[in-house]
Amino acid sequence: MPELRSGVRRARAPVVHRSEHLVGNYVKTRAAAAKEAAAKAAAPPLHQQQNNKNITKGLVPNPVIIPEEDKLQEIMADASNNQEEEEEGNTAPFPDMVQVGGSPVYKVERKLGKGGFGQVFVGRRVSVSGPGATEVAIKFEHKNSKGCSYGPPYEWQVYNTLGGSHGVPRVHYKGKQGDYYVMVMDMLGPSLWDVWNSSGQTMSSEMVACVAVESLSILEKMHFRGYVHGDVKPENFLLGQPSTPQEKRLFLVDLGLATKWREGAGGQHVEYDQRPDMFRGTVRYASVHAHLGRTAGRRDDLESLAYTLVFLHRGRLPWQGYQGDNKSYLVCKKKMTTSTDALCEHCPAPLKQFLDVVVNMKFDEEPNYSKLISLFEDLLSPNPVIRPINTDGAQKIILQVGRKRGRLNLDEEDDGQPRKKIRIGVPATQWISVYNARQPMKQRYHYNVSDERLAQHIERGNADGLLISSVASSSNLWAIIMDAGTGYSSQVYELSPIFLHKEWIMEQWEENYYISAIAGSNNGNSLVVMSRGTQYSQQSYKVSDSFPYKWINKKWREGFHVTSMATAGTRWGVVMSRNSGFSEQVVELDFLYPSEGIHRRWNKGYRITATAATEDQSALILSMPRRKPNDETQETLRTSQFPSTHVKEKWAKNLYLACICYGRTVS
């Protein structure tokens, strides 16, 4: 395992100090109130209602409920969201005539389509003669839309760089007219979705192969100029106008979600990050990394292209049909659990090979476009003239690769080393254990501990001067880690049938105990350990049916950091504390073990400080300590059984168990 090193630290918002201290942050938006009213008849038991709230322990002996500004802000935010929806339905009418940026006068005719960033109409030049195309596409975006918060649409900047390049339509004029930002563009023909739909909702292998190679050539040019598209799907690939020389050419449109994958004059790759609450794209075709909120890279466009190609050939993807608020979660889970063999059943072999490559690309890996294009060569007609789609953009690359065909090996890196597959593996449920370098100390572990035997193990440890540092659960049995290096002065604990028993926790807060370790079992029970002698000055926790990243992010802005984390069945419990000893914190959340993200965080100086996992997901909290430890070495293990043998081997190297959990990984 690599040693941790100091690195660039991500900037954070300033800490907000409050004089009040929250006991129950029972904020209700209008949407939440409506949901509660609708669900009154089927309300869960009282203890479940209480546990699903954000509970905070303050600094004062008798905490009070805060009449805080955040309540007003949250209600106002909810109202503004509703207002925005109303405005979108009641915007000013579109003009009948358009003239912007020195353009001719165009008459606005029928609507071509509507997307997340505006509406597109046919525009016809009024004057019989003069410069400019007779028929154009005119895109309108209202000045109050989400994409125009800071002036002209962001998409304009992207078209300034990419417009007119291979496979990207040209923008002829743009400007503001009335309440709308207007862009006058090349008029194009049907989308690939239109072609698929009018062809019996299927496409031939040769047609799909033509789409593949030409799409790759378009994405190569786009990526070369520093952008990833961010929303690759059949609806965004258009053919040229029918009955024109462009009718067989392929174009990629709708650049509103495009982002830069490199930055600065040196062209360095953007920094890796993960924000699980940030999703960009279309759920059906988005990459798994996009679902998980990871920074967009070139690999994401290629994964979306792979799903697009499979859809066009098969007519359906296995994750279609999910509905509801957790649709993105369910689709992402299905994508992760669907093998490439199953997804590409009845598809040409090159499609599976293509998918195998792109889903295993690293974040900053440069795609080998020529290798990928060469996969589809045998599916193409040898005569480019009679192919259903013009492949001029890919033809030169195909010819270059053809002469080297014997040397291409998709299972090897360009330097001949075996390719490491980062997402291919058998999903497994395992122990995840984390070890930190420490000065020699006494540490003890117990596992497969029943509720009845828990007390005797803890009492024996206390008699030997040991206190609990970490707890976990597997198969409704407990694992306990006790050591002499916690720094705590005393401890209390509770086994409860309630996942994080609010009343007991608040009683201990009154006695100046703070939560130092938590665990939950599949049957909903919990083990909560609270200690005196911690450095914490304030504490808050939340129980949620899904990983509560938005709440965590809010608490980060208030100066809290995650200090404990656990799951009980599918529920998550997260404890956050002020004065935690951390300066920065990030989350790695995945449906498999997020090895790539962990290594990238390690290289920036972060260390794993909390872990938790359900049967579906694993989450790791990585923190930047305010005081740099003398030895920053950290190692992790994934084992099917409790790692008792491995723990002893680590002890011999002065590496001690820091945190442990049981849940989803990959074998």
Side-chain angles (χ1 to χ4, degrees):
M1 286 289 179
E3 291 193 359
L4 303 181
R5 302 189 299 275
S6 60
V8 178
R9 299 187 179 186
R10 186 182 65 180
R12 290 183 55 82
V15 174
V16 179
H17 297 283
R18 298 185 185 277
S19 57
E20 306 94 339
H21 304 284
L22 181 63
V23 172
N25 185 7
Y26 304 126
V27 178
K28 290 182 187 175
T29 63
R30 289 189 292 177
K35 260 187 191 175
E36 182 180 296
K40 262 186 180 178
L46 179 61
H47 71 266
Q48 289 186 18
Q49 295 180 33
Q50 292 171 336
N51 274 347
N52 211 27
K53 300 182 188 296
N54 163 22
I55 311 300
T56 305
K57 191 265 187 188
L59 295 168
V60 292
N62 298 304
V64 296
I65 296 176
I66 302 178
E68 57 181 341
E69 294 178 359
D70 282 356
K71 291 186 179 182
L72 295 176
Q73 291 170 356
E74 188 164 346
I75 293 170
M76 288 173 65
D78 183 65
S80 66
N81 288 339
N82 290 336
Q83 182 180 2
E84 185 173 54
E85 291 172 7
E86 292 169 4
E87 287 174 353
E88 289 177 0
N90 297 284
T91 53
F94 295 103
D96 295 326
M97 300 287 181
V98 162
Q99 186 177 29
V100 292
S103 74
V105 178
Y106 292 99
K107 182 182 179 181
V108 179
E109 298 186 344
R110 71 183 187 279
K111 183 190 289 188
L112 290 172
K114 177 182 179 181
F117 292 90
Q119 301 189 46
V120 183
F121 291 79
V122 173
R124 191 169 301 279
R125 196 179 66 200
V126 173
S127 58
V128 178
S129 61
T134 303
E135 193 175 61
V136 295
I138 302 177
K139 186 168 186 177
F140 293 94
E141 194 161 348
H142 196 273
K143 64 180 183 181
N144 293 334
S145 73
K146 296 175 183 177
C148 301
S149 303
Y150 303 100
Y154 166 75
E155 189 176 19
W156 286 15
Q157 301 176 34
V158 184
Y159 270 110
N160 285 342
T161 303
L162 301 178
S165 64
H166 174 60
V168 178
R170 188 179 302 277
V171 174
H172 299 285
Y173 308 98
K174 55 184 180 292
K176 189 177 181 184
Q177 181 169 323
D179 290 336
Y180 289 95
Y181 289 101
V182 182
M183 190 161 55
V184 180
M185 311 167 62
D186 286 337
M187 183 68 179
L188 299 175
S191 70
L192 290 182
W193 192 93
D194 295 326
V195 175
W196 167 84
N197 196 43
S198 62
S199 303
Q201 298 191 341
T202 187
M203 275 189 182
S204 67
S205 296
E206 184 181 13
M207 181 70 167
V208 171
C210 287
V211 171
V213 299
E214 194 62 9
S215 299
L216 284 166
S217 72
I218 292 170
L219 290 172
E220 180 190 33
K221 297 296 186 293
M222 186 175 290
H223 295 168
F224 178 76
R225 295 196 177 196
Y227 282 93
V228 293
H229 184 274
D231 197 18
V232 171
K233 58 183 179 180
E235 294 87 337
N236 283 340
F237 282 109
L238 274 59
L239 295 173
Q241 274 190 288
S243 303
T244 71
Q246 304 291 316
E247 68 176 345
K248 291 170 64 175
R249 288 195 175 275
L250 193 63
F251 296 87
L252 183 55
V253 301
D254 200 351
L255 305 182
L257 292 179
T259 55
K260 290 185 176 180
W261 66 264
R262 63 184 181 199
E263 57 188 356
Q268 298 294 317
H269 202 288
V270 296
E271 290 289 332
Y272 170 87
D273 198 6
Q274 184 181 14
R275 293 180 55 90
D277 62 335
M278 296 290 290
F279 172 77
R280 296 168 68 89
T282 301
V283 170
R284 183 183 297 179
Y285 304 101
S287 72
V288 165
H289 303 292
H291 282 285
L292 293 170
R294 295 192 175 117
T295 307
R298 293 165 289 183
R299 65 180 179 180
D300 300 295
D301 279 349
L302 301 185
E303 186 173 337
S304 293
L305 176 60
Y307 298 145
T308 294
L309 298 174
V310 173
F311 173 82
L312 292 174
H313 192 272
R314 292 190 57 179
R316 186 171 179 83
L317 293 167
W319 42 84
Q320 287 179 234
Y322 289 112
Q323 300 295 332
D325 294 339
N326 63 341
K327 176 181 177 179
S328 181
Y329 168 87
L330 294 172
V331 169
C332 184
K333 178 182 173 182
K334 185 68 174 177
K335 287 177 180 176
M336 292 291 280
T337 56
T338 303
S339 68
T340 54
D341 287 326
L343 182 58
C344 298
E345 188 179 10
H346 307 306
C347 291
L351 261 182
K352 179 184 178 300
Q353 291 177 288
F354 178 67
L355 185 63
D356 274 335
V357 172
V358 300
V359 299
N360 282 290
M361 289 181 64
K362 304 181 186 72
F363 167 65
D364 55 2
E365 182 177 345
E366 181 177 0
N368 192 322
Y369 303 94
S370 61
K371 280 187 180 181
L372 296 174
I373 288 173
S374 73
L375 288 174
F376 298 92
E377 185 179 4
D378 292 340
L379 297 177
L380 299 173
S381 168
N383 184 1
V385 176
I386 64 173
R387 291 174 185 168
I389 289 179
N390 186 305
T391 57
D392 286 352
Q395 192 61 31
K396 184 178 179 181
I397 299 175
I398 292 174
L399 292 173
Q400 289 174 343
V401 174
R403 291 193 293 269
K404 306 175 187 176
R405 186 62 180 266
R407 295 202 297 270
L408 294 180
N409 187 344
L410 290 169
D411 292 324
E412 293 182 354
E413 303 284 4
D414 290 338
D415 59 3
Q417 296 298 313
R419 172 179 288 273
K420 184 178 181 181
K421 295 183 176 182
I422 64 171
R423 220 176 80 193
I424 297 298
V426 179
T429 307
Q430 296 178 315
W431 287 96
I432 302 172
S433 51
V434 181
Y435 305 83
N436 288 344
R438 300 281 298 270
Q439 291 295 316
M441 67 175 185
K442 188 173 183 179
Q443 188 174 71
R444 182 180 298 170
Y445 61 82
H446 303 278
Y447 62 97
N448 291 341
V449 178
S450 64
D451 292 355
E452 295 75 20
R453 298 193 62 187
L454 185 67
Q456 70 181 71
H457 288 304
I458 294 175
E459 288 169 6
R460 286 178 186 173
N462 292 160
D464 292 337
L466 306 179
L467 293 174
I468 298 169
S469 59
S470 182
V471 290
S473 176
S474 169
S475 303
N476 298 324
L477 298 172
W478 306 103
I480 315 162
I481 313 302
M482 304 186 73
D483 61 57
T486 62
Y488 307 142
S489 57
S490 62
Q491 276 185 340
V492 292
Y493 69 95
E494 185 196 48
L495 267 175
S496 172
I498 301 170
F499 187 41
L500 307 192
H501 184 197
K502 184 183 96 171
E503 286 75 15
W504 182 81
I505 290 172
M506 293 186 70
E507 288 174 8
Q508 306 313 313
W509 275 345
E510 294 295 330
E511 300 297 324
N512 288 322
Y513 285 92
Y514 286 88
I515 300 170
S516 55
I518 58 173
S521 59
N522 288 335
N523 60 15
N525 293 351
S526 68
L527 171 58
V528 178
V529 181
M530 300 185 71
S531 305
R532 278 181 178 168
T534 71
Q535 57 192 347
Y536 310 142
S537 59
Q538 192 176 5
Q539 203 164 63
S540 179
Y541 77 87
K542 184 175 180 67
V543 174
S544 175
D545 291 331
S546 59
F547 186 76
Y549 180 80
K550 288 185 179 179
W551 177 79
I552 292 172
N553 195 38
K554 175 178 177 287
K555 286 295 180 182
W556 278 341
R557 293 194 297 270
E558 296 174 3
F560 289 80
H561 292 97
V562 177
T563 49
S564 298
M565 190 164 62
T567 62
T570 60
R571 306 183 80 197
W572 294 82
V574 179
V575 180
M576 299 187 71
S577 309
R578 272 187 172 150
N579 196 30
S580 63
F582 306 135
S583 59
E584 301 289 333
Q585 207 165 61
V586 294
V587 169
E588 281 296 322
L589 178 69
D590 207 327
F591 286 88
L592 298 176
Y593 186 74
S595 299
E596 184 191 18
I598 292 170
H599 281 272
R600 290 186 177 278
R601 304 300 195 180
W602 274 344
N603 291 338
K604 293 295 181 183
Y606 289 92
R607 306 177 84 206
I608 300 169
T609 53
T611 62
T614 66
E615 291 184 353
D616 290 331
Q617 286 185 299
S618 59
L620 292 92
I621 301 295
L622 294 98
S623 308
M624 190 84 73
R626 289 191 181 278
R627 297 181 63 182
K628 185 176 179 180
N630 294 328
D631 189 342
E632 295 181 301
T633 303
Q634 185 173 73
E635 296 182 4
T636 65
L637 282 177
R638 303 192 305 277
T639 53
S640 299
Q641 304 297 322
F642 186 88
S644 52
T645 303
H646 300 285
V647 171
K648 294 172 183 176
E649 292 172 354
K650 301 294 183 186
W651 285 347
K653 299 188 292 184
N654 287 333
L655 291 169
Y656 295 89
L657 264 171
C659 48
I660 189 166
C661 72
Y662 185 80
R664 171 53 65 96
T665 67
V666 59
S667 62

